[in-house]
Amino acid sequence: MRSMKIICPNGHLGFAPLKPASFHIGVDAGPDFIAADSGSDDIGPVPLGNDTCASPKAWQAHDLEEMLLASRRIGVPMIIGSAGDTGTNSRVDMYVEMIREIAEKHSLPPFRIGWFYSEVDKELIRSRMRSGSTVEGLDARPPLTEAVLDTTDRVVAMAGVHPFRALLDQGCDVIIGGRSSDSAVFASAALARGFPEAQSYYLGKVLECASFCAEPYGAKETVLGEVTQDWVEVTAMAPEQRCTIASVAGHAMYERSNPFFEYVAGGMLDMTNCVYEQVSEKTTRVTGMEFVPATDFRVKLEGSGKLGERFVGMAGIRDPYTIAHVDEVIEWARTQVRERFGPEGWELHYNVFGRNGIMGHMEPLKDKPAHELMIVVQGVAPTREMAEEVTITGTRQLFYARLPDVKGTAGGVSFILDEVMPASPAYHWTLNHTMSVSDPLELFPTHTAIIANGQIEATQ
């Protein structure tokens, strides 16, 4: 039976370096493609908003170098999606340049590189809205309004398989994608080789986070996926890991409101009737997946808007009485900021670790705090100077909180640092919406070039 193999060495390229040993085992297994996704919403809206990376450039270069050298050595295509964490145009350009530098460093023979962009001009979105096309919200968000659009600094569209397939059809050896659906990075390769949509998209779904679909848990290890007309198999490459029924099925249900549905540009992967079979110690086979085409082709849009500059402070509490009245302590500090700056034009956010710092109001044990608390204070304001003072006030005034029954003057709060620390600017998600398009490639312009002798020779 005809099949195709893909290896994925990292579920988020560059966020932490891939593990070379299992990657080299995967390369020796003879894959037809080497692919990885490099982006995630998990990093929050800041990198998209200010057009930076959350991952160190050295780690990204490490993974790209491992993958490029392997793909050129064995002569198979290499595919990267959501370049540089966010898939903005500048991150795509950065990856293309890094590929050129690696090729020059190792004197690689000429090869064809392709790339596509995913940023969307806000005025294009505005014109669609004004022409009567509704930009629909996801996850209970209302339809997009021009007022919200005006608060947005940068927008990317999430590509499906279509720009990847277009570049594969042009014979590209290396593809660098803008913002992309995780599964599309892998599904595009299978579809380009003629495999069914259901199996292709499931292959992408199970490979997207690399060894997250294996046990025991160990991130950044390589996994190998194989697809046929009827099934998908996934195999752990790390000697100590296995892809089991539980680990593969568990990952298939990962990160979605409905554990059986995976929505992509152009349709939905339905995993309701999937059957999982342990075919060897390290390999699980999956059958029964289905693909439901969409009646209206819509593309997801992600947007980020700046709230202001940000500083961070920290305060520790060990005194039981202060812990019991921590909400009053925080409100005292907020009141001092209001008296200094007025009721608006700034923000203070308090995370009380040891009580409910992670889950907030959803924490079931928030009424049973630990014997020690750490309060992390985030202050946001229009300027760095104001943000710093807001944060200092909101942190330092925790020490001066006036509680009933306190007789001493030593205070119930300690400080790790007397100063507050500058942080990245504060952004928030403004767009988590979908927009209808008539052409799947409309928002994703593609380009190709030849890299030879350390130079990029443009062809399109």
Side-chain angles (χ1 to χ4, degrees):
M1 181 182 294
R2 188 172 72 92
S3 71
M4 187 203 75
K5 298 177 182 178
I6 305 180
I7 58 171
C8 176
N10 198 331
H12 183 166
L13 184 147
F15 196 70
L18 64 83
K19 301 296 186 180
S22 63
F23 176 63
H24 295 155
I25 293 172
V27 173
D28 291 342
D32 300 289
F33 290 85
I34 300 174
D37 176 63
S38 183
S40 175
D41 284 342
D42 295 347
I43 57 177
V46 172
L48 174 60
N50 66 2
D51 202 14
T52 56
C53 290
S55 303
K57 189 174 182 180
W59 293 358
Q60 297 177 78
H62 169 272
D63 286 7
L64 290 174
E65 185 169 29
E66 287 277 2
M67 294 176 68
L68 181 62
L69 295 181
S71 70
R72 294 299 81 225
R73 177 171 61 83
I74 65 175
V76 302
M78 164 183 163
I79 305 175
I80 303 295
S82 297
D85 299 320
T86 63
T88 62
N89 293 0
S90 73
R91 303 303 95 180
V92 171
D93 290 341
M94 182 182 79
Y95 269 31
V96 170
E97 175 60 17
M98 290 167 77
I99 292 292
R100 185 202 65 76
E101 291 172 351
I102 296 166
E104 181 180 30
K105 173 183 174 182
H106 294 277
S107 301
L108 295 180
F111 59 89
R112 181 178 295 274
I113 186 171
W115 66 94
F116 67 84
Y117 295 119
S118 294
E119 281 194 45
V120 182
D121 191 324
K122 291 196 299 182
E123 296 311 309
L124 171 64
I125 301 171
R126 194 187 310 276
S127 68
R128 296 291 175 84
M129 294 166 62
R130 290 181 176 179
S131 68
S133 179
T134 301
V135 180
E136 297 177 354
L138 296 170
D139 300 328
R141 282 180 180 259
L144 183 64
T145 64
E146 290 195 45
V148 171
L149 186 63
D150 288 339
T151 67
T152 302
D153 288 280
R154 187 167 286 101
V155 181
V156 288
M158 182 174 285
V161 298
H162 310 86
F164 291 107
R165 290 195 64 181
L167 292 169
L168 286 171
D169 289 345
Q170 295 177 61
C172 290
D173 301 301
V174 176
I175 297 175
I176 303 298
R179 186 67 172 117
S180 317
S181 164
D182 297 353
S183 61
V185 178
F186 309 90
S188 59
L191 290 167
R193 293 289 177 91
F195 292 95
E197 288 179 306
Q199 284 72 20
S200 298
Y201 280 108
Y202 189 91
L203 177 73
K205 176 68 198 79
V206 77
L207 288 181
E208 60 169 325
C209 287
S211 53
F212 273 17
C213 67
E215 61 179 57
Y217 172 76
K220 311 305 176 183
E221 302 286 0
T222 294
V223 294
L224 182 148
E226 184 173 5
V227 61
T228 71
Q229 297 289 325
D230 302 319
W231 48 256
V232 171
E233 288 184 355
V234 58
T235 305
M237 295 292 98
E240 69 277 12
Q241 287 190 310
R242 302 178 301 138
C243 287
T244 66
I245 291 173
S247 66
V248 174
H251 184 264
M253 300 178 185
Y254 173 65
E255 289 189 328
R256 51 205 15 82
S257 54
N258 185 312
F260 299 115
F261 299 157
E262 165 90 348
Y263 291 93
V264 296
M268 178 191 73
L269 174 66
D270 186 348
M271 297 175 280
T272 305
N273 298 314
C274 281
V275 177
Y276 298 83
E277 178 186 1
Q278 196 78 45
V279 295
S280 72
E281 181 185 6
K282 295 173 69 69
T283 302
T284 288
R285 176 179 292 177
V286 188
T287 56
M289 62 285 287
E290 299 175 3
F291 187 78
V292 182
T295 56
D296 179 21
F297 196 98
R298 304 187 69 85
V299 174
K300 182 185 177 186
L301 303 177
E302 297 172 345
S304 176
K306 188 174 182 179
L307 293 170
E309 301 299 325
R310 177 168 54 170
F311 278 72
V312 175
M314 294 187 294
I317 305 177
R318 177 61 177 81
D319 172 54
Y321 186 80
T322 306
I323 289 175
H325 294 82
V326 67
D327 289 329
E328 297 163 60
V329 171
I330 290 172
E331 185 53 36
W332 168 272
R334 285 188 184 276
T335 299
Q336 309 315 303
V337 176
R338 290 190 198 100
E339 290 179 0
R340 171 71 176 87
F341 293 103
E344 298 177 346
W346 52 271
E347 296 182 20
L348 270 177
H349 302 274
Y350 291 89
N351 290 80
V352 184
F353 292 95
R355 185 185 68 168
N356 63 340
I358 295 172
M359 293 183 65
H361 70 277
M362 295 187 293
E363 172 56 62
L365 301 178
K366 59 180 177 290
D367 295 329
K368 298 179 180 179
H371 71 282
E372 287 185 337
L373 301 181
M374 170 58 69
I375 303 178
V376 176
V377 186
Q378 296 183 72
V380 179
T383 66
R384 285 179 59 83
E385 293 77 14
M386 183 178 175
E388 182 177 21
E389 187 176 350
V390 164
T391 309
I392 288 175
T393 305
T395 303
R396 195 167 291 173
Q397 285 292 332
L398 297 170
F399 179 86
Y400 293 109
R402 299 177 182 178
L403 297 176
D405 300 327
V406 172
K407 303 289 193 293
T409 60
V413 173
S414 65
F415 299 111
I416 297 173
L417 302 169
D418 285 332
E419 69 270 26
V420 295
M421 298 169 288
S424 59
Y427 285 80
H428 66 139
W429 294 115
T430 54
L431 270 76
N432 184 30
H433 293 71
T434 65
M435 184 171 73
S436 180
V437 297
S438 57
D439 179 356
L441 293 174
E442 177 182 344
L443 303 178
F444 308 104
T446 61
H447 306 267
T448 66
I450 300 295
I451 292 184
N453 300 316
Q455 301 299 317
I456 297 178
E457 303 172 359
T459 60
Q460 282 191 22

